[in-house]
Amino acid sequence: MTEARESAGPQALRAPGTPCWVSLMAHRLTATEEFYGELFGWEFRPGPQQLGPYVRALLDGREVAGMGQLPPENRLPIAWTPYLASDDVDRTAEAVRLCGGTVAVGPLDAAEAGRLAIAADPSGAVFGIAQASAHPGPAVTGKPGTPAWNELVTFESKSAANFYETVFAYEEKPDACADGDRVTLCVDGHPVAGIRGTGASLPHHGGSHWTTYFEVADAADATARLVGLGGHVLEPPRDSARGRVAAVTDPEGARFALLERRG
């Protein structure tokens, strides 16, 4: 198990393109809090309310994720959304449009969280854009219950990588050690996210999507606990280059992954 590390939170200054926050919009917020609270040991406190009820998830008193409630009439698929850092959300949102993506929400100011937008790439995968405010908040990484990695699952990696590299100036690093169509996105030489092309096996329901990996101490134990809480297993724990991974959903169907690091 890796050692816990303190790092900057969702409002902190991050290099453009760096994943800086993850957020889930659900239909039943109270039930969703109970599920993730039991699964990861999270506690919750109110967050910005511009888009409706919203809470921040805390682990050991530090922010690790956010969760909001969708309006009853909104029947969009429930999904975890990674936010990618920008030093100018308005300029990044315009770059998204020019490169064939869409901007669904914002840019807008969200109190101390800074300036935000929610966008989709040309394949329809949804992601957020976050511009830091002047009041960074602490967070913790590298321990069970914290986001550990974000990966785009799409039809093929090349066109997706071209889009994200143009919008966020990522450096591309082909993943020569992995099987299949994979690319690693880097900022200043450091891996920050991945793209995995699945071809014909791309799920028809949901299509291209970002997956957030949450660290756990034991993937098998966490998977069993998740099922007991009403979640579902898409792929049971298996060994990967990053550790032991399970693909799962919460009771409302939001996909995410459990990652047990090795070494």
Side-chain angles (χ1 to χ4, degrees):
M1 186 169 60
T2 55
E3 181 182 356
R5 301 182 299 275
E6 288 190 21
S7 70
Q11 310 88 355
L13 300 176
R14 301 282 186 101
T18 305
C20 57
W21 190 240
V22 291
S23 189
L24 172 68
M25 299 299 290
H27 290 297
R28 300 185 299 274
L29 183 56
T30 299
T32 300
E33 289 180 46
E34 292 173 355
F35 171 82
Y36 286 99
E38 290 291 332
L39 182 63
F40 293 137
W42 290 350
E43 298 178 337
F44 301 91
R45 71 179 177 201
Q49 305 292 304
Q50 279 87 342
L51 300 179
Y54 190 86
V55 296
R56 288 189 173 134
L58 308 177
L59 188 66
D60 297 334
R62 299 183 178 94
E63 296 176 359
V64 293
M67 301 195 316
Q69 182 165 307
L70 289 167
E73 67 276 10
N74 190 322
R75 306 311 301 176
L76 289 174
I78 307 302
W80 279 100
T81 301
Y83 281 74
L84 308 176
S86 169
D87 52 15
D88 187 328
V89 166
D90 295 78
R91 186 176 62 200
T92 301
E94 183 59 24
V96 167
R97 296 186 185 98
L98 291 173
C99 292
T102 57
V103 178
V105 177
L108 55 82
D109 293 321
E112 73 278 8
R115 191 159 175 79
L116 308 174
I118 299 175
D121 67 22
S123 72
V126 176
F127 62 96
I129 309 167
Q131 180 178 339
S133 73
H135 304 288
V140 62
T141 61
K143 67 176 297 185
T146 62
W149 185 247
N150 290 282
E151 181 179 70
L152 173 65
V153 181
T154 189
F155 181 74
E156 55 87 25
S157 67
K158 183 175 176 54
S159 59
N162 288 341
F163 169 83
Y164 287 96
E165 288 164 19
T166 302
V167 173
F168 291 102
Y170 288 121
E171 306 144 17
E172 178 180 334
K173 177 183 176 183
D175 198 335
C177 298
D179 294 331
D181 178 17
R182 292 179 183 267
V183 167
T184 299
L185 301 176
C186 299
V187 172
D188 296 332
H190 301 291
V192 297
I195 299 176
R196 174 163 59 97
T198 62
S201 64
L202 182 70
H204 292 292
H205 176 67
S208 296
H209 61 276
W210 280 91
T211 297
T212 297
Y213 289 63
F214 291 95
E215 190 152 334
V216 295
D218 186 297
D221 286 350
T223 301
R225 188 163 64 252
L226 173 138
V227 171
L229 293 168
H232 303 280
V233 178
L234 301 177
E235 297 177 13
R238 57 181 175 80
D239 291 327
S240 74
R242 296 195 170 275
R244 196 154 177 77
V245 174
V248 298
T249 75
D250 67 17
E252 285 201 37
R255 296 186 186 98
F256 61 103
L258 304 173
L259 172 62
E260 175 191 344
R261 294 189 192 269
R262 297 294 174 85

